[in-house]
């Protein structure tokens, strides 16, 4: 189970936008809603300007020529229009930057949202000279730099491993008219940890201890950084620091460290810590319970996982679909199907919206099916519960029906998948090619391979090797036929 799944509720510590949830501050609006033309007209005009920029760049026109072409276009500048155009170039910084320079040159005054968008685009592409140029321009204009601007710039510097520049932004906050407060400091630490600069983040954390009050959220950021980095030793050291400090660990602290222990295979220690939470009155949430259950199942300690599941119900920590899926997945592996269907019935009847079986649930059931009829029964149940089909389910069905040599079901599944628009994808073709090869149907296998190539899909290396083998077998077959005809004619 990923850190994100286990510790969903600390997600606000891993994005500079939701960091404002930690305070009563209002998140600055990223989109200034100025409507001078309709959204439809904005989008239509943005498409035309996008095409113009693409053509001008292809023709290697100068910036002045592009400016002239833009000036001749018949559109009204607005914040919505500028944002729409910039977002169409999030992976292509040159036309975005050229367009924004033209906007500034035209005399229009973009708001914070537009500046933030272009700075984020340039930062993603590591065009820091251009970032600094626009940031300086933004700083000259009154009240444009806001918390989101700060978060974007710090995040992009950290992503490019420009640690000193990221830290420097924090110290510039007063000059920019922003307070160097705890939330801004936490934002900096989050960005540094996100891009593996945990050592630098911890050093800064200790240096600023006297400046900011002890806050468990700040400790959690560093702990999570070490855990995500996979450094068990440093994570354990920092956990011990938290336990001995003035701050009391909260459930997020426990959740981070429990997840780290589970991922490193130390499930017994994780369970011990989990029980400590209950004893100390720090009630684990469903994400932490799921982590323990998943870890126990991975270690094949399923009876203990079921005990934790039972405790959840008794202690009013309601399970969610991930809880059930973890148990069902592992119970299917050991063929305890009676318990699997007991849990499935519970999901369908008592679980409510948060516990209804999803495509993953039915995928585990299908994977354990032994016959086509059993698989069809599971699909009927899936349909009855209004669970939508996915591309992964279709591919799973293709593999199962192919392994059972049920060609009618293979064909009908393929046709239905095409009608639904959920495939076929590269995986679908791979299943068909390998399946037909195993059944000695080389012509069919090669036909699907050729169709796959015609759709510009890239085959897996193993598939390419298989096709080479099939082509050689095909050539040998032709040579054998030729020799057979010659021998017949000689006779």
């Amino acid at each position: 189970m990923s850190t994100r799944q286990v510790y969903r509720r600390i997600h606000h510590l891993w994005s500079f936008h939701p960091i404002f949830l930690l305070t009563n501050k209002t998140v600055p609006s990223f989109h200034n809603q100025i409507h001078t033309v309709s959204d439809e007209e904005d989008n239509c005009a943005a498409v035309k300007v996008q095409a113009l920029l693409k053509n001008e760049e292809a023709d290697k026109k100068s910036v002045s020529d592009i400016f002239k072409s833009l000036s001749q276009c018949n559109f009204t500048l607005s914040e919505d229009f500028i944002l729409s155009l910039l977002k169409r170039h999030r992976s292509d910084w040159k036309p975005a930057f050229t367009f924004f320079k033209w906007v500034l040159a035209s005399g229009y005054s973009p708001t914070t949202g537009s500046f933030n968008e272009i700075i984020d685009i340039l930062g993603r592409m590591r065009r820091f000279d251009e970032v600094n140029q626009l940031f300086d321009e933004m700083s000259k204009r009154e009240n444009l730099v806001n918390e989101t601007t700060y978060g974007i710039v710090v995040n992009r510097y950290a992503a490019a491993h420009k640690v000193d520049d990221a830290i420097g932004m924090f110290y510039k906050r007063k000059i920019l008219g922003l307070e160097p407060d705890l939330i801004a400091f936490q934002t900096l630490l989050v960005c540094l940890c996100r891009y593996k600069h945990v050592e630098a983040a911890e050093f800064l954390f200790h240096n600023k201890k006297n400046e900011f009050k002890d806050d468990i959220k700040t400790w959690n950021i560093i702990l999570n950084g070490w855990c995500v980095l996979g450094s068990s030793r440093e994570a354990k050291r920092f956990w011990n620091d938290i336990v001995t400090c003035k701050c009391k660990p909260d459930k997020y602290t426990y959740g981070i460290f429990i997840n780290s222990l589970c991922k490193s295979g130390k499930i017994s220690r994780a369970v011990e810590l989990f029980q400590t939470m209950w004893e100390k009155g720090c009630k684990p949430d469903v994400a932490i319970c799921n982590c323990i259950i998943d870890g126990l199942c991975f270690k094949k300690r399923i009876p203990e996982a079921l005990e934790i599941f039972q405790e959840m119900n008794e202690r009013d920590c309601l399970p969610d679909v991930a809880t059930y899926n973890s148990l069902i997945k592992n119970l299917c592996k050991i063929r305890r199907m009676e318990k699997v269907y007991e849990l499935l019935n519970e999901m369908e009847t008592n679980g409510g919206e948060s516990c209804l079986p999803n495509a993953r649930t039915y995928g585990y059931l299908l994977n354990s099916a032994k016959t086509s009829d059993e698989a069809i029964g599971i699909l009927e149940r899936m349909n009855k519960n209004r669970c939508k089909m996915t591309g992964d389910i279709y591919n799973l069905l293709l593999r199962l029906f192919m392994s059972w040599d049920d060609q009618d079901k293979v064909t009908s599944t393929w046709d239905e998948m095409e009608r639904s628009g959920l495939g076929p994808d590269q995986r679908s073709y791979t299943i068909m090619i390998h399946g037909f090869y195993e059944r000695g149907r080389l012509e069919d296998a090669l036909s699907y391979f050729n169709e796959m190539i015609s759709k510009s899909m890239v085959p897996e290396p193993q598939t390419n090797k298989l096709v080479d083998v099939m082509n050689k077998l095909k050539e040998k077959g032709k040579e054998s036929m030729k020799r057979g005809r010659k021998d017949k004619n000689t006779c």
Side-chain angles (χ1 to χ4, degrees), residues 267-282:
I267 187 63
S268 296
R269 173 66 180 129
V271 171
E272 184 184 314
L273 205 58
F274 176 73
Q275 298 298 350
T276 300
M277 287 185 75
W278 289 113
E279 290 164 12
K280 291 193 173 182
C282 184

Side-chain angles (χ1 to χ4, degrees), residues 7 202 205-206 216 219-220 222-227 231-261 269-270 272-277 280 282 288:
Y7 210 54
E202 186 179 344
F205 164 71
H206 287 301
I216 192 60
W219 287 88
N220 288 348
I222 306 297
L223 178 63
N224 201 28
W226 286 123
C227 291
S231 180
S232 301
R233 182 180 174 182
E234 295 298 333
K236 184 179 179 181
R237 172 189 61 77
F238 200 77
W239 165 263
N240 290 333
D241 288 347
I242 293 173
V243 172
T244 55
C245 80
K246 295 176 184 176
C247 282
K248 185 181 177 183
D250 61 12
K251 66 180 171 184
Y252 302 125
T253 323
Y254 280 104
I256 291 168
F257 196 52
I258 284 171
N259 181 45
S260 175
L261 291 168
R269 173 66 180 129
E272 184 184 314
L273 205 58
F274 176 73
Q275 298 298 350
T276 300
M277 287 185 75
K280 291 193 173 182
C282 184
I288 297 172

Side-chain angles (χ1 to χ4, degrees), residues 359 379 382 387-398 413-429 431 455 457:
L379 288 173
M382 183 178 176
C387 179
K388 292 181 180 178
M389 291 289 285
T390 65
D392 286 341
I393 293 290
Y394 278 121
N395 285 336
L396 175 57
L397 289 170
L398 283 176
T413 300
W414 185 274
D415 292 343
E416 188 183 325
M417 179 169 54
E418 284 187 316
R419 281 194 300 273
S420 70
L422 292 170
D425 58 11
Q426 185 249 31
R427 183 69 189 137
S428 316
Y429 281 101
I431 291 165
K455 292 183 177 181
M457 294 181 188

Side-chain angles (χ1 to χ4, degrees), residues 171-363:
Y171 290 112
K172 283 182 187 174
R173 281 179 63 88
K174 273 199 174 178
I175 301 169
L176 298 169
L178 303 170
E179 282 299 314
D181 56 18
L182 178 61
I183 301 303
F185 183 59
Q186 289 174 339
T187 299
L188 172 62
L189 296 181
V190 165
C191 293
L192 291 174
C193 289
R194 179 189 290 153
Y195 297 105
K196 303 183 179 181
H197 302 293
V198 189
E199 191 174 347
E202 186 179 344
F203 180 78
L204 197 61
F205 164 71
H206 287 301
N207 275 357
K208 291 284 181 183
K209 257 187 179 179
N210 295 330
E211 195 169 326
F212 298 112
K213 64 175 184 178
D214 244 355
D215 188 320
I216 192 60
K217 295 184 183 76
T218 317
W219 287 88
N220 288 348
I221 292 167
I222 306 297
L223 178 63
N224 201 28
W226 286 123
C227 291
V228 171
L229 198 61
S231 180
S232 301
R233 182 180 174 182
E234 295 298 333
K236 184 179 179 181
R237 172 189 61 77
F238 200 77
W239 165 263
N240 290 333
D241 288 347
I242 293 173
V243 172
T244 55
C245 80
K246 295 176 184 176
C247 282
K248 185 181 177 183
D250 61 12
K251 66 180 171 184
Y252 302 125
T253 323
Y254 280 104
I256 291 168
F257 196 52
I258 284 171
N259 181 45
S260 175
L261 291 168
C262 289
K263 287 175 81 171
S264 60
K266 297 173 183 174
I267 187 63
S268 296
R269 173 66 180 129
V271 171
E272 184 184 314
L273 205 58
F274 176 73
Q275 298 298 350
T276 300
M277 287 185 75
W278 289 113
E279 290 164 12
K280 291 193 173 182
C282 184
K283 182 182 173 182
D285 61 14
V286 66
I288 297 172
C289 294
N290 289 349
C291 181
I292 293 291
I293 288 172
D294 210 42
L296 287 168
C297 286
F298 183 76
K299 290 289 187 178
K300 297 181 172 57
R301 292 162 63 175
I302 294 174
E304 290 172 70
L306 289 168
E307 281 179 27
I308 299 288
F309 175 71
Q310 188 60 41
E311 280 180 22
M312 287 175 72
N313 288 302
E314 291 169 1
R315 290 176 164 174
D316 200 31
C317 179
L318 297 178
D320 61 12
V321 67
T323 321
Y324 283 99
N325 280 352
S326 186
L327 290 168
I328 286 171
K329 172 187 174 182
N330 290 281
L331 288 166
C332 281
K333 284 180 182 177
I334 59 172
R335 300 296 299 163
R336 282 191 59 184
M337 302 313 292
E338 186 180 337
K339 185 63 179 177
V340 165
Y341 281 99
E342 180 188 318
L343 291 171
L344 186 64
N345 290 335
E346 195 175 306
M347 291 176 82
E348 291 172 344
T349 55
N350 306 327
E353 285 297 319
S354 66
C355 275
L356 282 175
N358 58 19
R360 183 168 289 182
T361 318
Y362 292 108

Side-chain angles (χ1 to χ4, degrees), residues 463-475:
T463 305
N464 280 325
K465 288 178 184 177
L466 197 66
V467 169
D468 288 341
V469 170
M470 285 191 281
N471 283 326
K472 286 175 185 175
L473 290 172
K474 198 175 171 185
E475 286 301 315

Side-chain angles (χ1 to χ4, degrees), residues 85-96:
L85 196 286
L86 291 175
K87 285 178 179 178
R88 292 170 188 275
H89 293 91
R90 287 188 69 78
S91 299
D92 195 0
W93 71 271
K94 280 187 180 179

